[in-house]
Amino acid sequence: MLPDLHGFGPALAAGTLMTIKLALSALSLGLVLGLLGALAKTSPYKPLQWVGGSYSTIVRGVPELLWVLLIYFGTVNLMRGLGEWFGNPELELSAFAAGSIALGLCFGAYATEVFRGALLAIPRGHSEAGHTLGLSKGRIFWRLIMPQMWRIALPGLGNLFMILMKDTALISVIGLEEIMRRSQIAVTSSKEPFTFYLVAAFIYLSLTVIAMVGLSIMEKRANRGFRRAMA
Amino acid sequence: MNWELIIKWLPRLAEGALLTLELVGIAVIAGLLLALPLGIARASRHWYVRAFSYGYIFFFRGTPLLVQLFLVYYGVAQFEAIRQGPLWPYLRDPYWCAVLTLTLHTAAYIAEILRGAIQAVPHGEVEAARALGMSRAQALLHVILPRAARIGLPAYSNEVILMLKASALASTITLLELTGMARTIIARTYLPVEIFFAAGMFYLLAAYVLVRGFRLLEQRLRVDACRSR
């Protein structure tokens, strides 16, 4: 019993693709920001701790929608200034770029806490062992800490990714043609809001289910060779 | 930064903030009441009792709040029966749509918190209550729920903060809460940075006060004292 989509099926499919693209680009920005935030928060330098701490506190305390609007509408003058510098006064942030930055920023703030927890969960002895072996600080982080951190942080990051995927709907507010925006367009001509928003809901549900399955596969892979205590 | 203009528009923003707090307050309290039966059903031993609340929670946690809002505010108007029905004056009003959607949305999350809390109550305590001759209902009311409330309180306070931020979405269905008010003011002043900054400060302040309030409540309920070792 497929609902009649009035020929908007391909448009919705294109919107789904856009949503996935947006989620992945926000994810990659967010992972970098989260890692930097966690490193700053756990560093021995007070100013860096302060930067990491205020980043995660401030970003997490303000609604995602407000960040989206602020980054899209608030950077118009800034971008114009930048554009004049490079001789292109028409320069502006696209909805896709603004959305990726806003969602990446929010993802990064939560990921900061997840990564920090994972960093602290790795026994000190491991980095000390690295020192004894004569490895440099960067090497210890890349070869010893990071691979282990990944395993501990994965469930938390998975939850954040599900939240991120649902938050991509917010970018429809600034006009990016993802699932929600495409459904809105379909509603204006078909006058069937319930049908189309329900279809949108089911697209999001299936994206969530796919992400859940993918995550459980990744978790299994990351946990190979490990046994949970008290299984 | 144009501080004078920020100060000039502060009263209007405060008005919006009040509506935000009202929406969140109603949603998290009504959501809690709705979550009680859902969460208890979710932890039930009978599969058909679990199935309904599982489906409810799956739908509301798996789809974006924006979709849910649009389904209620724009969607139900598709049905003639609802437009003729007695509930139409409420479902036509963005305020009641926002309250309804936020409540249904948060209830799903709170039910999940509640389930976790109920299942975290130590088995021995439930058995002890039963051994003292309490009926199932009595054990639930006097032992399990008070204990679960303390276990779940920190997670509930997180949910309240999340709802504070989620309520910003009500601006998309024309409600003039904090974000909606900020957008309206910006449409008149063309000062996006200043006004969004001020609105952000209101959200931060509200979140800070809520976090403090919950910490006080945790101290009063002595959450730390009854944490299992």
Side-chain angles (χ1 to χ4, degrees):
Chain A
M1 38 156 267
L2 271 172
D4 179 13
L5 292 179
H6 301 282
F8 280 104
L12 287 179
T16 309
L17 202 65
M18 181 57 97
T19 291
I20 294 171
K21 272 193 215 159
L22 179 68
L24 290 181
S25 67
L27 174 71
S28 33
L29 176 66
L31 282 176
V32 173
L33 284 176
L35 207 52
L36 289 178
L39 283 178
K41 245 186 138 168
T42 52
S43 89
Y45 307 108
K46 273 265 146 65
L48 270 182
Q49 284 175 18
W50 185 83
V51 169
S54 34
Y55 164 60
S56 80
T57 312
I58 291 174
V59 172
R60 288 188 304 159
V62 173
E64 290 79 4
L65 181 62
L66 206 61
W67 284 116
V68 172
L69 295 172
L70 182 61
I71 288 173
Y72 189 61
F73 294 113
T75 52
V76 172
N77 283 334
L78 187 81
M79 292 306 285
R80 193 158 294 162
L82 261 180
E84 260 160 36
W85 198 267
F86 292 109
N88 177 13
E90 301 293 297
L91 195 68
E92 56 180 16
L93 221 49
S94 69
F96 185 85
S100 307
I101 294 172
L103 293 180
L105 199 70
C106 296
F107 182 94
Y110 284 93
T112 294
E113 300 301 321
V114 173
F115 278 132
R116 191 177 68 103
L119 264 177
L120 296 179
I122 293 164
R124 271 189 76 86
H126 290 208
S127 59
E128 278 165 13
H131 270 299
T132 325
L133 286 171
L135 299 178
S136 70
K137 266 195 166 169
R139 250 205 135 81
I140 290 174
F141 183 71
W142 275 109
R143 308 302 303 250
L144 272 175
I145 311 292
M146 270 270 274
Q148 303 195 66
M149 218 169 95
W150 174 241
R151 182 179 66 87
I152 302 169
L154 198 56
L157 292 178
N159 281 340
L160 293 183
F161 182 65
M162 311 269 198
I163 297 173
L164 170 68
M165 227 157 47
K166 289 184 285 158
D167 281 345
T168 55
L170 297 182
I171 313 303
S172 67
V173 174
I174 54 173
L176 182 74
E177 301 217 315
E178 39 68 79
I179 301 173
M180 263 325 259
R181 184 83 198 120
R182 298 272 186 178
S183 318
Q184 282 171 359
I185 294 167
V187 165
T188 35
S189 77
S190 71
K191 304 280 179 262
E192 283 181 11
F194 195 84
T195 317
F196 277 99
Y197 292 135
L198 199 64
V199 168
F202 278 103
I203 297 177
Y204 282 110
L205 266 184
S206 27
L207 286 179
T208 309
V209 171
I210 293 170
M212 263 161 70
V213 172
L215 274 163
S216 81
I217 293 172
M218 277 163 80
E219 264 174 53
K220 261 203 198 112
R221 224 185 106 73
N223 276 318
R224 68 198 189 284
F226 273 92
R227 212 174 25 171
R228 214 171 254 181
M230 286 173 51
Chain B
M1 278 289 185
N2 193 334
W3 294 100
E4 269 170 48
L5 268 166
I6 293 183
I7 290 166
K8 184 185 158 206
W9 290 102
L10 271 187
R12 295 302 302 279
L13 282 174
E15 232 174 82
L18 225 54
L19 180 58
T20 288
L21 290 180
E22 189 182 320
L23 285 174
V24 176
I26 297 176
V28 294
I29 291 169
L32 182 61
L33 295 179
L34 187 60
L36 276 172
L38 275 172
I40 294 170
R42 184 79 172 74
S44 159
R45 284 176 303 138
H46 307 289
W47 70 268
Y48 45 87
V49 180
R50 275 200 313 262
F52 170 75
S53 69
Y54 184 81
Y56 178 92
I57 292 169
F58 181 66
F59 180 81
F60 278 95
R61 297 208 319 165
T63 56
L65 178 59
L66 191 68
V67 177
Q68 295 160 17
L69 262 180
F70 281 17
L71 265 177
V72 172
Y73 184 60
Y74 298 110
V76 296
Q78 187 177 328
F79 303 107
E80 191 63 32
I82 286 174
R83 271 183 291 152
Q84 305 298 335
L87 285 176
W88 184 236
Y90 296 102
L91 289 173
R92 197 173 52 184
D93 185 351
Y95 176 83
W96 290 109
C97 283
V99 166
L100 177 69
T101 317
L102 288 174
T103 303
L104 293 175
H105 178 82
T106 192
Y109 284 86
I110 299 174
E112 205 54 10
I113 292 170
L114 213 57
R115 176 189 65 102
I118 287 175
Q119 288 177 342
V121 174
H123 244 280
E125 294 181 20
V126 185
E127 281 162 10
R130 300 280 289 154
L132 283 172
M134 287 187 180
S135 68
R136 268 182 196 291
Q138 276 177 324
L140 186 70
L141 200 66
H142 296 297
V143 177
I144 300 177
L145 282 184
R147 195 74 165 78
R150 287 171 171 80
I151 296 172
L153 187 63
Y156 180 68
S157 70
N158 277 342
E159 177 58 24
V160 173
I161 305 283
L162 285 179
M163 281 316 282
L164 172 70
K165 299 198 295 161
S167 69
L169 291 189
S171 69
T172 57
I173 56 169
T174 72
L175 266 190
L176 289 185
E177 43 66 74
L178 190 40
T179 303
M181 193 62 94
R183 291 170 81 175
T184 316
I185 296 171
I186 289 161
R188 286 173 60 176
T189 60
Y190 297 104
L191 287 173
V193 178
E194 280 86 347
I195 301 297
F196 280 141
F197 169 79
M201 286 295 126
F202 268 106
Y203 278 111
L204 273 179
L205 183 71
Y208 178 78
V209 171
L210 282 172
V211 167
R212 284 273 136 185
F214 272 106
R215 202 159 291 165
L216 278 180
L217 186 64
E218 275 176 35
Q219 276 167 13
R220 255 201 90 87
L221 291 175
R222 303 173 37 116
V223 169
D224 279 330
C226 51
R227 194 155 280 169
S228 54
R229 296 135 295 267

